Structures are given as structure tokens and as C-alpha cells.
Amino acid sequence: MYREAIQQMTGYQPGEQPRREKVIKLNTNENAYPPSPKVVAAIQQAATGSLQKYPDPVASAYRERAAEVLRADLPEITPDWILCGNGSDDILTILTRTFVGEGDVLRYPNPSYVLYKTLAEIQGASVDVVDFASDWTMGEEFAAPVDRLRLAYLANPNSPSGTMLPAERVSGLAANIPCPLVVDEAYGDFADSNCLGLVANNERVIVTRTLSKSYALAGIRFGFAIAQPQVIEQLAKVKDSYNCDMLAIAAATAAIDDQDWLAENRAKVLATRSRMTTALREKGFTVTESQANFVWCTDSNRDLKQLYESLKQMGVLVRYMPYPGWPEGIRVTVGTDAQVDALLALL
């Protein structure tokens, strides 16, 4: 009774979300700090409103404020350049459903976000996986034409590495690849640069963002895409009618409105990331320079799976991530200074 594509797929496995307390979670790249106080106030106000009514189907309040904030990087942006969703995973689902049909091809790099494969499999599509070079650069093969190639994903900054390709490099790939290129900037607020400016010059460039990481709203679920208005118009046909609830819209609007909180939080995360990177290297790990709120650690002299299991037994969760044809590693979220100190002490 099930579609063959569904029966054959493994399905995406999210990071562990333990029920027990007193666990240090450094495994799913959540923000270590609570969101802006303005978010809580906005949720409380929205909760006393008309919850019996449907929410704004296009999250107009958020789109208007986000356009003002993002104009520094994309001067042309107006609210109709933005599509909102129930987390950026919802946006990625909408994009895949819009462009990729059964028998088509979806491209993504390796190692990278494994959900891309799942989204292709749901559509009954094939995947074309292009490996990063050992220094996390990407060759021209990522832009090479392939029969029925309909969409390409590029996480930038990438997970699990935390590395990123410069905008000039992404622009070159986008100019040559024969399909839309989605630049997944889930961790973009922690990086030194971004690719928003590319959207204005190429209608096939689509940037996705989430409020789960930099704005500490993983529990709310809110993400968005930035693309030229004619692209957003087509994507909107595919989304669920009311894919963002009233509380999420209020929370997201308050969050992106508080840019002072974002700047302060970003500074704390980057300072801890730098200190954690140095300390892990001193303990023998090879740690890639990160542009995200996590670091990627490898060590050929350690059994990293056993290390992950041992840390878990001691109440610290990190993410053990083996990739085919790639050295195994552990991805460690940047926690609070106290959480990082606890991890380092156990190591």
C-alpha cells in the first residue's frame, strides 16, 4: 500500500533529544542561550489574542520587518522576496517539491546535511552527490550538467564542517549550473559573510535561513527563503495553507526585530567557539576553522564512536557523524562557557 520510494528509504534521523534532565546538549546546534526577552513578551501577547482564528498565511508582519533588516545585504529586497515556513526544513521541503519530480535528479555536496537525500527520496528522485575536496573547497564538477538535474543544495556554512565557500565562488557555480541553486544559510548569522547579494543578480539563486540557531528559536520552528518575487510566487503555491502558526509568527517577528540581542549573542558564541577550538586542538583533535556555532573534530588516533558513547554515559551529548568515503568525526555545538568547560574536563 506504500509508495515504493517510501518503503526503500531509511528516513532522516534527527539528533538525540533526551528526556532526562542534567544532560549537556552539544549535539544539535541549538543556541546555548534563551532568546530575546522580546520574544517571550510577543508570545504572551499573541496567546491572549484570537487563537481561534487562522494565522496570517504569508506571515506579513515578519516579512516586512525581515526585509528591513536584510536590506543591508540585499538592497533590493521587499516583503515579496520572502517566503516563510515551519523551520527551514519546511522551506527545503517546499523547494524540493516545487522543482524535483519523480525520476529527476537533486544534487548536493558530501559531507553535508543528510536531509537533502531524504527529500529527494520522498519525491522518487535520484541524487547526484559531489564530494568536497579534502580542504573543503568545491570543484567545477558541482556545476556540471547532468540529465534531469533539477535542483542543487549547498549548505554554506556547511554542516558538519562549519566551512563555507566565498560568495564569489558560489556566484560562479550558480552561473554555470543548469538548475536553481539553494544556498542553505542555516548558520549564516555566525559567519563573516553571506550570499544574499547573489539573489538580486540571478533568479536561480535561492537563500534559506532559520531562526532556530542564531535567534535561539529551535523550539518555535520558523525559517524563510529569500528569492526574486517571481520565484517566491511559485513556491507559495506549494506550501501548506497556514504553515506558520500565530505564536511562531509573533515570536519570529520579535526576534528579528531585536538586532541588539543578536549582535550580543553572536559575539558570545564566537568568543566561546574560538576558545573551544584552541582547547580541543591542544587535546589532539584536528578541528576545522568554523563559520558556524559548532566545530568539526577528527582524530585518527582516537575511536571517535567510543568517545561519543563514553561522553554520553557521562551526560554530555555530541554528534558522532560517519560519512561514506570520509574520515569519521564528531560535531560539537558551541555551548555556554560552563558547558564547554565540563566537556573539556571530561575529555
Side-chain angles (χ1 to χ4, degrees):
M1 90 177 90
Y2 308 103
R3 288 174 50 215
E4 184 178 354
I6 304 302
Q7 287 183 297
Q8 292 182 353
M9 65 185 286
T10 302
Y12 175 70
Q13 298 295 321
E16 297 169 89
Q17 296 291 341
R19 294 179 178 272
R20 65 190 177 105
E21 297 181 1
K22 297 185 178 179
V23 172
I24 297 177
K25 281 188 86 276
L26 303 176
N27 64 325
T28 50
N29 302 339
E30 294 139 324
N31 200 302
Y33 303 95
S36 163
K38 293 182 179 180
V39 169
V40 177
I43 292 173
Q44 290 173 335
Q45 182 176 355
T48 62
S50 304
L51 293 182
Q52 73 275 21
K53 296 180 180 179
Y54 287 113
D56 178 355
V58 296
S60 300
Y62 178 82
R63 294 166 77 202
E64 291 168 5
R65 186 65 186 106
E68 293 172 354
V69 170
L70 299 175
R71 205 160 283 144
D73 292 314
L74 181 60
E76 299 85 351
I77 194 171
T78 57
D80 58 352
W81 289 57
I82 298 172
L83 178 79
C84 299
N86 182 33
S88 61
D89 286 351
D90 180 36
I91 295 295
L92 299 180
T93 300
I94 292 167
L95 286 162
T96 307
R97 291 172 63 195
T98 299
F99 293 108
V100 183
E102 187 171 359
D104 288 337
V105 177
L106 183 150
R107 176 176 290 164
Y108 59 88
N110 175 66
S112 194
Y113 190 24
V114 295
L115 180 67
Y116 303 146
K117 179 181 179 182
T118 301
L119 295 176
E121 291 175 336
I122 291 172
Q123 294 297 103
S126 300
V127 296
D128 181 42
V129 183
V130 180
D131 286 340
F132 280 107
S134 59
D135 62 354
W136 297 101
T137 56
M138 178 56 68
E140 287 301 320
E141 60 269 24
F142 192 79
V146 169
D147 189 39
R148 299 192 69 172
L149 178 63
R150 298 290 184 261
L151 186 66
Y153 282 116
L154 180 67
N156 203 48
N158 183 53
S159 176
S161 62
T163 55
M164 64 183 299
L165 303 181
E168 296 79 8
R169 178 66 177 135
V170 176
S171 178
L173 293 172
N176 294 323
I177 197 168
C179 69
L181 175 62
V182 178
V183 185
D184 183 350
E185 292 190 345
Y187 304 98
D189 286 321
F190 299 109
D192 295 334
S193 61
N194 61 64
C195 289
L196 277 181
L198 305 183
V199 177
N201 300 320
N202 189 336
E203 72 170 348
R204 293 187 294 115
V205 175
I206 302 165
V207 172
T208 62
R209 294 274 183 95
T210 179
L211 274 69
S212 295
K213 320 297 183 183
S214 54
Y215 288 94
L217 292 184
I220 287 293
R221 311 305 301 131
F222 197 94
F224 60 105
I226 305 102
Q228 292 188 17
Q230 67 272 21
V231 179
I232 296 295
E233 182 181 7
Q234 297 303 312
L235 296 175
K237 298 177 182 179
V238 180
K239 79 175 187 69
D240 292 342
S241 301
Y242 304 99
N243 61 335
C244 298
D245 66 65
M246 196 176 293
L247 301 184
I249 295 170
T253 305
I256 202 167
D257 184 57
D258 197 346
Q259 290 297 297
D260 290 339
W261 180 93
L262 176 65
E264 181 181 349
N265 180 266
R266 181 181 186 273
K268 287 191 293 187
V269 171
L270 266 57
T272 305
R273 183 183 74 191
S274 177
R275 185 173 72 86
M276 185 169 75
T277 298
T278 299
L280 288 169
R281 286 173 177 164
E282 290 173 350
K283 294 186 180 298
F285 292 96
T286 298
V287 184
T288 306
E289 284 294 331
S290 176
Q291 291 278 307
N293 69 330
F294 58 84
V295 297
W296 176 242
C297 306
T298 59
D299 188 344
S300 59
N301 297 317
R302 280 185 171 100
D303 184 335
L304 294 181
K305 186 173 185 181
Q306 181 59 51
L307 176 62
Y308 150 75
E309 294 286 359
S310 297
L311 288 172
K312 183 178 178 179
Q313 290 294 321
M314 293 184 284
V316 176
L317 292 179
V318 296
R319 191 81 181 263
Y320 170 73
M321 305 182 79
Y323 287 88
W326 203 266
E328 65 177 358
I330 57 171
R331 192 189 67 191
V332 186
T333 305
V334 178
T336 64
D337 285 323
Q339 290 172 333
V340 170
D341 288 342
L343 168 68
L344 295 173
L346 290 175
L347 287 173

